[in-house]
């Protein structure tokens, strides 16, 4: 892909930025009812983009981006889940039209963590195949209303997290063994939903591109011991290959299948699924990257039950990388070269174009008068952009770069203290104030970086 097709963009997601809780016919999402510790912001107001849409798009134009990566909120488009909600559809029509009028290509993701709470209550959400049909119905609605103007589409954001985070998907099974089994079943259903969606997309959206957005795993062994090398390979299969191999080739890595079968966790499938999964390949892969992961083999008798579900196994566990600089919110460290390593590997395995859909640094930024100085973020972004340019120069097809996030938003689990934005949003966890927008130093830096690359 030629460099001139490259898009400078920025990224957000609906439940983290929109707010507008219960407004315009929006149904109740899992993210609206989850238990959030006292003192941490929820999604009800978030960054209040629902009421600041024009202002946000004017800020994007001023910034000079040509790609806005956002997500559709399932419950804004489908209300409680079953019926189209015209007011919600109108909100996104406005968003898309404003983007296009300002020279910004809209790049929505269909599923970014939230889903109708009613589905969790009615049929246990993704645990049931009914959810696959509901997702396709929702995707069909989006393609029908927006497919004439929207040409870049993400399917599922970070299936690793989407299938594992119970507060987002409603898997509240108490028995830990059953919970794991359900997680793998839910993930399988998400893959089916993705493939059916791509099948439909080919028939309904002309000249469009669609693909998954993965949580890219750049896995390093903690040491060169064979046990740690094997642990790192296992981690690569369980944290990334199981999702992307499914998205692209329609099959799981053998090590993953074997392990799940031995544990009694292999999902229930139907014979006719195989054909659907094998076909309907995506057009690109979206890359979310914050840092690499260091992995080691387990010590004898080590307890993994407190780790996130995807680390709860006997095959690998989290190690520590002493070579990386760590910060309060970037506890795995900062590793720009990891972006290059990971994307190179993904290209070699799947040979598909790639777009960086998320990449950013979290910090508890402070407002200083009417300014925010965030040189640490500028440094992080510059170093990662350099790695992107290195990939492009070497001939890898990278068609865009979107920092996470365009503006401060509710972090997935840590509220408003953990900020990623190029634009400061004046609110705290406990006081939503007016959600005033104040471009940070990194905003002005990114604007210049875009200008100078033209
Ligand atoms: C990605 C998600 O996992 O990382 C985003 O796609 C999320 O939704 C981002 O916000 C940063 O993670 P966190 O937990 O710091 O918000």
């Amino acid at each position: 892909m030629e460099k001139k097709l490259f898009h400078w963009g920025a990224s957000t997601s609906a439940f983290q930025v929109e707010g507008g809780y219960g407004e315009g016919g929006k149904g109740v999402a899992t993210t609206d009812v989850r238990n959030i510790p006292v003192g941490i912001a929820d999604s009800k107001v978030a960054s209040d983009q629902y009421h600041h849409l024009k202002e946000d798009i004017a800020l994007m134009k001023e910034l000079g981006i040509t790609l806005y990566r956002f997500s559709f909120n399932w419950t804004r488009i489908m209300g409680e889940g079953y019926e189209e909600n015209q007011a919600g559809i109108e909100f996104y029509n406005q968003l898309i039209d404003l983007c296009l009028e300002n020279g910004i290509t809209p790049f929505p993701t269909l599923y970014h963590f939230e889903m109708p709470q009613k589905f969790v209550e009615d049929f246990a959400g993704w645990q049931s195949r009914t959810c696959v049909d509901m997702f396709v119905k929702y995707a069909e609605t989006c393609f029908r209303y927006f497919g004439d103007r929207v040409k870049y589409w993400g399917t599922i954001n970070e299936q690793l997290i989407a299938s594992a985070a119970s507060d987002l998907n409603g898997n509240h099974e108490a028995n830990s063994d059953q919970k794991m089994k359900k997680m793998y079943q839910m993930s399988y259903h998400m893959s089916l939903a993705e493939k059916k969606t791509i099948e439909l997309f080919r028939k309904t959206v002309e000249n469009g591109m669609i693909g998954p957005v993965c949580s890219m795993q750049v896995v390093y062994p903690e040491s060169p011991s064979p046990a740690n090398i094997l642990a790192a390979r296992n981690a690569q299969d369980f944290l990334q290959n199981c999702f992307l191999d499914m998205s692209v080739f329609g099959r799981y890595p053998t090590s993953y299948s074997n392990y799940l079968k031995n544990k009694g966790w292999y999902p229930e499938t139907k014979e006719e699924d195989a054909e659907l999964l094998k076909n309907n390949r995506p057009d690109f892969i979206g890359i979310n990257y914050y840092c690499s992961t260091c992995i080691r083999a387990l010590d004898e008798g080590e307890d993994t039950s407190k780790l996130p579900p995807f680390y709860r196994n006997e095959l690998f566990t989290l190690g520590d990388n002493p070579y990386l600089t760590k910060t309060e919110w970037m506890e795995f460290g900062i590793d720009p070269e990891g972006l290059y390593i990971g994307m190179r590997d993904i290209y070699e395995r799947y040979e598909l174009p790639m777009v960086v859909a998320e990449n950013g640094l979290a910090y508890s930024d402070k407002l200083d008068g009417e300014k925010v100085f965030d040189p640490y973020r500028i440094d992080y972004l510059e170093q990662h952009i350099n790695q992107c340019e290195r990939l492009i120069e070497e001939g890898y097809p990278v068609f865009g770069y979107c920092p996470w996030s365009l503006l401060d938003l509710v972090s997935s689990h840590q509220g408003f203290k953990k900020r990623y934005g190029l634009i400061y949003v004046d609110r705290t966890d406990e006081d939503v104030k007016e959600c005033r927008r104040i471009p940070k130093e990194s905003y002005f830096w990114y604007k210049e970086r875009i200008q100078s690359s033209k």
Side-chain angles (χ1 to χ4, degrees), residues 130-338:
T130 307
C131 205
V132 177
D133 299 333
M134 290 300 142
F135 186 80
V136 176
K137 180 175 172 175
Y138 156 60
E140 188 278 324
T141 306
C142 293
F143 296 157
R144 179 157 37 85
Y145 282 102
F146 312 126
D148 56 336
R149 287 155 294 152
V150 175
K151 299 300 170 188
Y152 290 103
W153 293 78
T155 52
I156 294 171
N157 179 70
E158 300 194 352
Q159 196 170 331
L160 174 74
I161 310 293
S163 57
S166 311
D167 59 332
L168 306 171
N169 64 32
N171 178 7
H172 298 301
E173 170 64 53
N175 176 292
S176 55
D177 184 69
Q178 282 304 304
K179 187 166 180 151
M180 295 297 283
K181 186 173 167 58
K182 286 180 174 172
M183 177 179 88
Y184 290 111
Q185 184 70 57
M186 291 165 90
S187 183
Y188 180 74
H189 286 153
M190 288 180 189
S191 296
L192 279 182
E194 173 172 90
K195 291 293 189 168
K196 286 198 175 185
T197 298
I198 296 179
E199 185 181 47
L200 177 72
F201 183 80
R202 301 277 176 244
K203 295 183 192 141
T204 50
V205 179
E206 281 175 24
N207 305 319
M209 306 237 301
I210 190 163
V213 179
C214 74
S215 156
M216 184 169 75
Q217 300 294 312
V218 182
V219 177
Y220 302 141
E222 199 181 54
S223 79
S225 77
N228 283 347
I229 302 276
L230 178 59
R233 296 269 164 89
N234 286 335
Q236 196 71 49
D237 278 348
F238 277 71
L239 303 177
Q240 177 164 295
N241 299 343
C242 59
F243 304 111
L244 288 182
D245 283 7
M246 201 53 150
S247 289
V248 180
F249 308 131
R251 56 164 163 71
Y252 287 134
T254 306
S255 71
Y256 178 89
S257 296
N258 287 347
Y259 185 76
L260 263 48
K261 281 177 190 159
N262 282 336
K263 297 292 267 186
W265 293 344
Y266 196 82
E268 279 170 36
T269 64
K270 285 192 181 172
E271 219 180 299
E272 73 248 30
D273 297 346
E275 195 64 15
L276 174 86
L277 292 171
K278 188 155 65 67
N279 301 321
N280 308 301
R281 292 192 174 203
D283 301 300
F284 67 86
I285 296 176
I287 307 288
N288 290 356
Y289 176 75
Y290 293 84
C291 187
S292 52
T293 311
C294 194
I295 289 291
R296 62 173 170 82
L298 267 79
D299 294 332
E300 195 142 329
E302 193 172 341
D303 176 21
T304 57
S305 61
K306 299 278 176 297
L307 291 172
F310 37 83
Y311 293 132
R312 246 174 254 166
N313 59 62
E314 298 86 15
L315 303 176
F316 59 90
T317 194
L318 271 179
D320 174 59
N321 190 338
Y323 295 96
L324 305 181
T325 306
K326 294 157 190 144
T327 69
E328 183 194 3
W329 291 121
M330 308 295 284
E331 59 270 45
F332 285 11
I334 294 175
D335 181 15
E337 199 150 26

Side-chain angles (χ1 to χ4, degrees), residues 16 112-113 157-158 288 290 358 404 411-412 418 420:
Q16 295 177 276
H112 195 122
F113 296 164
N157 179 70
E158 300 194 352
N288 290 356
Y290 293 84
E358 291 182 25
W404 180 268
S411 120
S412 73
K418 192 178 187 188
Y420 289 89

Side-chain angles (χ1 to χ4, degrees), residues 119-131:
F119 290 173
V120 174
E121 287 155 20
D122 288 0
F123 48 79
W126 287 107
Q127 290 172 45
S128 162
R129 268 178 106 98
T130 307
C131 205

